[in-house]
Amino acid sequence: MDNRPIGVFDSGLGGLTAVRRLQELLPHEDIVYFGDTGRVPYGTRSRETIRRYAGEDCRLLLDRDVKFIIAACGTVSSVAPDILTSLPVPAIGVVEPTAAAAAAATRNGRVGIIGTAATIRSASFERALLAIRPDLHITATPCPLFVPLVENGWISQDDPVAIPMVRRYLTQIKADGADTLILGCTHFPLLTPIIQQELGSDVTLIDSGYETARLCAARLRETGQLSADSRPGQSRYYVSDQPEGFSQVAEIFLGHSVEQQVEMVRLDQP
Ligand code: DGL
């Protein structure tokens, strides 16, 4: 048994997709979340910068004595997987669990992938999918403008900006007949209603944050590292820029207010 919190990080709000699932699966676990809102987006930056940011994010969580780290960020998981394997606590990224879920879900062998520019450039999801099922037909499209849409909360099903943007980005994936779509950036599940509306209800959307939270729960169970506490788990949220915008969108997404639990931190101060 291990009563220390689970650490989760992302460049901003997207990693809350993993937090929401963790809170459902493991209601007695404490969670420490870091959203690097002062430096979002990561996906348009160079490999070197993303790797440096990932190392700093992990350090911030380790300083808060976490027992396990989820890089709930497709970009970090794709560009800096080796950083996750060199930490003093177990850590996982989103690529492998998401690819496994998509390979199992597809019926026609056609899978679409959307993610940030850095994620799509890295071809991480393709490699992971083809390692499981070499016969798959894959269409990958970068959707960098989805990230600021989500960070600004333009996510409602009738949003007049989001709808044409989703249509434009998904044109090729739709034309190629994918029956399964990997939401390879953890921000993207917040756009699920619009994406599903565009592709139709027959297309299965694979939420990378959700799949990774499931894997984390399974790993903690296997290794006997779940909390021994029977009280409800507490979640704390740290951000690297003003907390207000984060709290507002987080509330819509998590379905409860987080305002009292959000704190601004500086990455250069422990
Ligand atoms: N949520 C992130 C991801 O999964 C990053 C978005 C960004 O910062 O560009 O890729």
Side-chain angles (χ1 to χ4, degrees):
M1 293 296 182
D2 188 336
N3 289 355
R4 291 177 298 165
I6 300 169
V8 182
F9 74 91
D10 179 40
S11 59
L13 282 151
L16 294 176
T17 52
V19 170
R20 182 164 77 172
R21 186 64 181 150
L22 275 180
Q23 289 172 340
E24 286 164 14
L25 288 172
L26 304 174
H28 303 296
E29 294 293 324
D30 290 341
I31 297 170
V32 175
Y33 183 80
F34 175 58
D36 196 1
T37 53
R39 304 193 294 195
V40 66
Y42 282 11
T44 51
R45 297 181 197 275
S46 69
R47 194 181 134 76
E48 291 65 37
T49 301
I50 295 166
R51 293 175 62 80
R52 176 162 57 81
Y53 287 179
E56 291 169 0
D57 300 343
C58 290
R59 173 55 44 208
L60 184 137
L61 292 176
L62 291 170
D63 286 344
R64 282 155 185 79
D65 197 26
V66 297
K67 62 182 167 190
F68 194 100
I69 291 182
I70 298 181
C73 175
T75 307
V76 166
S77 308
S78 296
V79 173
D82 52 313
I83 291 181
L84 300 178
T85 50
S86 63
L87 298 173
V89 299
I92 54 173
V94 302
V95 175
E96 278 72 26
T98 308
T106 181
R107 290 147 287 144
N108 69 2
R110 293 176 173 265
V111 178
I113 306 168
I114 54 175
T116 65
T119 295
I120 299 302
R121 206 167 45 234
S122 77
S124 58
F125 284 101
E126 278 102 316
R127 277 197 305 279
L129 280 170
L130 293 173
I132 304 168
R133 276 192 57 181
D135 60 312
L136 292 178
H137 181 282
I138 298 169
T139 309
T141 305
C143 304
L145 296 177
F146 284 176
V147 178
L149 263 189
V150 169
E151 289 287 322
N152 285 285
W154 292 10
I155 54 177
S156 71
Q157 197 158 2
D158 55 358
D159 188 274
V161 177
I163 292 170
M165 207 184 270
V166 166
R167 181 157 303 147
R168 182 160 175 174
Y169 274 137
L170 296 184
T171 305
Q172 192 59 49
I173 285 171
K174 205 172 169 180
D176 287 353
D179 72 354
T180 302
L181 177 66
I182 289 183
L183 307 178
C185 169
T186 51
H187 278 66
F188 297 177
L190 284 93
L191 295 166
T192 291
I194 307 177
I195 294 174
Q196 196 82 70
Q197 188 169 268
E198 175 59 21
L199 293 180
S201 54
D202 286 351
V203 173
T204 307
L205 305 186
I206 309 289
D207 175 333
S208 50
Y210 179 106
E211 297 302 332
T212 311
R214 276 181 13 148
L215 178 61
C216 166
R219 289 269 170 88
L220 291 176
R221 232 172 241 127
E222 274 161 31
T223 55
Q225 273 190 290
L226 288 172
S227 164
D229 261 327
S230 54
R231 59 163 178 76
Q234 307 289 314
S235 298
R236 285 220 59 84
Y237 303 88
Y238 295 93
V239 289
S240 53
D241 203 349
Q242 49 189 8
E244 291 77 22
F246 177 88
S247 303
Q248 271 167 19
V249 185
E251 183 171 339
I252 302 174
F253 186 64
L254 293 172
H256 56 86
S257 168
V258 297
E259 207 179 330
Q260 303 305 316
Q261 295 133 264
V262 185
E263 195 181 311
M264 187 171 148
V265 283
R266 284 190 43 188
L267 279 155
D268 54 354
Q269 288 173 355

